[in-house]
Amino acid sequence: MIENLPPCPKCSCEYTYEMNALVVCPECGHEWVPAEGGAQAAEASGEKVVKDAVGNVLSDGDSVTVVKALKVKGSPSGIKAGTKVRNIRLIDGVDGHDIDCRIEGFGAMQLKSSVVKKA
């Protein structure tokens, strides 16, 4: 049991209680999994958290796998699903492209986090 339960993230009520693995707010009825640090703490502090297609939190230097075939302008073939990309960098890109990387055979490019999965 958690001794210091966090206040409700929706209504800031202090009287939250624990029910199984969830924390519940008696005022607004909101239920959530208590933060154990990591991604939820970063979201609460205002830092941008980038998640892959299945919800894993990505960070600089991670390796990812492309989950669907991508077309590349100026290239007769695209990037095939299953292509592994190493050493990614997270950026604030244009049009949702938040990963900067180097793909063998294509060079430097930017990808959306919704088309990759953490390897």
Side-chain angles (χ1 to χ4, degrees), residues 1 9-10 12-13 16 19 26 44 50 54 57 64 74 87 90-91 95 110 114:
M1 182 164 205
K10 284 198 171 186
S12 300
C13 173
T16 56
M19 182 169 50
V50 178
V54 293
V57 178
V64 295
N87 198 17
L90 302 179
I91 58 167
D95 202 26
Q110 294 181 352
S114 60

Side-chain angles (χ1 to χ4, degrees), residues 48 50-54 56 58 64-68 70-71 79 85 88-101 103 109-118:
K48 184 177 177 187
V50 178
K51 296 184 179 183
D52 67 1
V54 293
N56 298 321
L58 297 173
V64 295
T65 305
V66 178
V67 294
K68 70 180 207 175
L70 303 172
K71 295 180 181 177
I79 299 171
V85 181
I88 64 169
R89 289 181 308 278
L90 302 179
I91 58 167
D92 289 328
V94 180
D95 202 26
H97 294 83
D98 45 12
I99 296 174
D100 191 26
C101 62
I103 300 177
M109 63 176 38
Q110 294 181 352
L111 297 173
K112 292 182 178 182
S113 58
S114 60
V115 298
V116 299
K117 168 177 90 168
K118 194 170 186 176

Side-chain angles (χ1 to χ4, degrees), residues 1-83:
M1 182 164 205
I2 301 173
E3 291 182 13
N4 297 327
L5 291 172
C8 176
K10 284 198 171 186
C11 69
S12 300
C13 173
E14 299 175 358
Y15 304 110
T16 56
Y17 61 92
E18 197 170 22
M19 182 169 50
N20 297 329
L22 299 175
V23 177
V24 181
C25 175
E27 290 185 8
C28 68
H30 179 63
E31 298 177 346
W32 71 99
V33 178
E36 298 165 328
Q40 291 179 348
E43 286 175 352
S45 67
E47 295 177 25
K48 184 177 177 187
V49 176
V50 178
K51 296 184 179 183
D52 67 1
V54 293
N56 298 321
V57 178
L58 297 173
S59 60
D60 287 343
D62 283 345
S63 293
V64 295
T65 305
V66 178
V67 294
K68 70 180 207 175
L70 303 172
K71 295 180 181 177
V72 178
K73 273 188 181 179
S75 174
S77 64
I79 299 171
K80 294 179 182 176
T83 302

